[in-house]
Amino acid sequence: MTKIVFMGTPDFSVPILRMLHEEGYEIAAVVTQPDRPVGRKRVLTPPPVKEEAVRLGLKVLQPEKLRGSEELEEILRINPDLIITAAFGQILPKELLEAPKLGCINVHASLLPKYRGGAPIHQAVIDGEEKTGVTIMYMAEKLDAGDIISQREIPIEETDHTGILFEKLSLLGRDLLKDTLPDIIAGTNDRIPQDESKATFAHNITREQERINWSKSAREIYNQVRGLHPWPVAYTTFHGENVKIWWAKVGDSKAEGQPGEVVKIGKDHFEVATGEGTLAILELQPAGKKRMSAEDYLRGVGSKLQIGDLFE
C-alpha cells in the first residue's frame, strides 16, 4: 500500500484529507501548522486540519518550521512513498522534496502557471478573472513551478467572493486529486512543464492591498471588496478612523462627485463616488463596532452621514 504523508492547514485542506482517508489510503502522518491564538481573547486554537486528523485518529506533527526540525527527521524516518500538500503554508526543504519515491505533489488553487504563491484565490477575484481552477503539480524548489499533472477549471460568478471560492476549489481539488492519484501511484500520469513566460504571482495579501483607493473604478473596487471577503476585508477611512467594507455592489446612481464622496443615501445603502461610477455600500464595520448592514448603520452610528461627506 502507498504510504502517504499529508500536509495542510486551513479549511481548504480538510475535504482533501478526508477523501484520502475515506478512499483507504495509508496516511502515515498529517503535518500542519502549530496551534495559534485566535480572536480578541487570543484563545489557542488548533488549525482545521489538526482537528480533522485527530477526529480520524491520525498521527499529527506541528513543526514551527520544517527545516532542521525534529518533525522533519520523523517524516524522513517514516519514509513515505508520496507527500501530498494542500495549503500547508511552509516551504518544503530540498531533502524532503527528494525523499518520496513517488515525489511530492501539491493541490494548488489556481490554473498554473497563473497565480503562483500564497493568495491565488484572493488575487483572481481582485483582478476580476472570469475563471479559476485547481492544479495538481509536482513540487519543486522554485515556488509553485513544478510540472503540471492535471488541472480542472470553474467559472468565477459575479457574486462569488473569496470565501465561496475557497469552498468550491477545495471540493474541486478533492475530486481532481481523487481522480488523479491512481495514475500517480501507477506512474502513468501526465507531466507537463510550466510555461515560465506565462507565470504570474499572487503573494500573501498586504495591508496596503486592503485599503480602498476611491480613484479606481467602481468595478475594480467591487472586485477588491469581494476578493478580500470574508478575510482580511477591505477598508477605508472616515473622519480619520478605519471603516471595514464587508460587502458592496456597483451602484446605479448617476450622481457625480470626487472619488470617496457620498453622493446618495438610501434606506438600506449609500453610494460613494469612485474614479468611474459609484459603489453602493451594503455592509460595513465602523471602528470599535460590530459588522452591520448599511441600513442599521444609517439608523445608528451613521445617522448623521450626509451627501458630500468624504471617505478616504
Side-chain angles (χ1 to χ4, degrees):
M1 183 177 285
T2 304
K3 189 189 300 181
I4 293 172
V5 166
F6 179 80
M7 298 181 168
T9 298
D11 288 318
F12 176 87
S13 319
V14 171
I16 299 168
L17 172 60
R18 190 177 298 139
M19 178 276 293
L20 293 171
H21 184 267
E22 290 174 351
E23 290 297 303
Y25 289 104
E26 180 186 352
I27 305 169
V30 173
V31 187
T32 189
Q33 299 276 34
D35 297 1
R36 304 290 189 199
V38 172
R40 290 185 177 181
K41 295 185 178 179
R42 312 300 290 164
V43 177
L44 197 63
T45 304
V49 162
K50 178 183 179 180
E51 292 183 323
E52 181 67 10
V54 169
R55 188 185 73 81
L56 296 174
L58 300 172
K59 179 184 183 69
V60 177
L61 302 175
Q62 293 181 274
E64 186 68 46
K65 186 178 180 182
L66 257 178
R67 194 179 303 277
S69 68
E70 292 181 7
E71 289 87 353
L72 174 59
E73 295 302 318
E74 188 164 356
I75 297 167
L76 293 172
R77 284 195 297 271
I78 289 171
N79 191 26
D81 299 304
L82 178 67
I83 290 176
I84 300 173
T85 70
F88 172 50
Q90 292 190 37
I91 301 295
L92 271 58
K94 183 178 180 181
E95 59 187 315
L96 190 56
L97 290 174
E98 295 176 346
K101 67 179 184 182
L102 295 175
C104 298
I105 64 171
N106 180 40
V107 183
H108 184 75
S110 83
L111 297 172
L112 291 170
K114 204 165 190 177
Y115 297 125
R116 296 175 179 177
I121 302 175
H122 292 82
Q123 200 63 54
V125 181
I126 290 170
D127 290 350
E129 294 284 350
E130 295 182 352
K131 67 179 181 179
T132 185
V134 169
T135 302
I136 310 291
M137 52 167 286
Y138 282 107
M139 299 182 73
E141 286 189 82
K142 190 175 178 182
L143 180 66
D144 296 329
D147 292 348
I148 293 169
I149 302 169
S150 59
Q151 285 187 325
R152 196 168 289 169
E153 70 177 49
I154 56 170
I156 299 177
E157 306 292 345
E158 172 69 15
T159 55
D160 279 348
H161 54 68
T162 287
I164 289 172
L165 279 179
F166 258 80
E167 293 179 15
K168 288 182 178 180
L169 292 174
S170 174
L171 299 180
L172 189 71
R174 174 200 66 188
D175 295 345
L176 182 58
L177 182 63
K178 181 179 177 180
D179 293 345
T180 304
L181 260 180
D183 286 343
I184 294 172
I185 293 169
T188 58
N189 60 279
D190 291 332
R191 188 163 188 152
I192 306 164
Q194 293 188 42
D195 184 345
E196 288 292 325
S197 69
K198 295 181 179 178
T200 61
F201 293 87
H203 298 296
N204 290 336
I205 299 297
T206 64
R207 184 64 171 163
E208 183 180 346
Q209 287 175 284
E210 296 168 26
R211 182 161 191 161
I212 293 172
N213 176 357
W214 293 102
S215 295
K216 292 185 176 182
S217 70
R219 166 62 57 179
E220 288 176 299
I221 298 172
Y222 170 63
N223 288 339
Q224 178 186 9
V225 168
R226 66 193 187 114
L228 298 174
H229 179 94
W231 74 92
V233 186
Y235 79 96
T236 183
T237 59
F238 186 60
H239 295 323
E241 293 192 324
N242 289 348
V243 179
K244 291 183 177 182
I245 304 300
W246 280 89
W247 199 244
K249 66 178 181 179
V250 175
D252 55 16
S253 174
K254 302 300 182 184
E256 295 184 359
Q258 63 174 305
E261 183 180 351
V262 177
V263 294
K264 178 182 176 181
I265 300 175
K267 180 185 176 183
D268 59 358
H269 73 283
F270 60 93
E271 296 187 31
V272 179
T274 71
E276 182 182 334
T278 66
L279 189 76
I281 308 301
L282 303 177
E283 283 188 74
L284 67 163
Q285 184 174 0
K289 303 293 183 180
K290 293 183 178 180
R291 172 182 176 180
M292 64 185 73
S293 67
E295 184 173 0
D296 287 343
Y297 171 77
L298 292 169
R299 281 204 308 255
V301 292
S303 59
K304 295 182 180 179
L305 186 74
Q306 296 179 356
I307 289 175
D309 283 347
L310 200 63
F311 286 84
E312 297 178 310

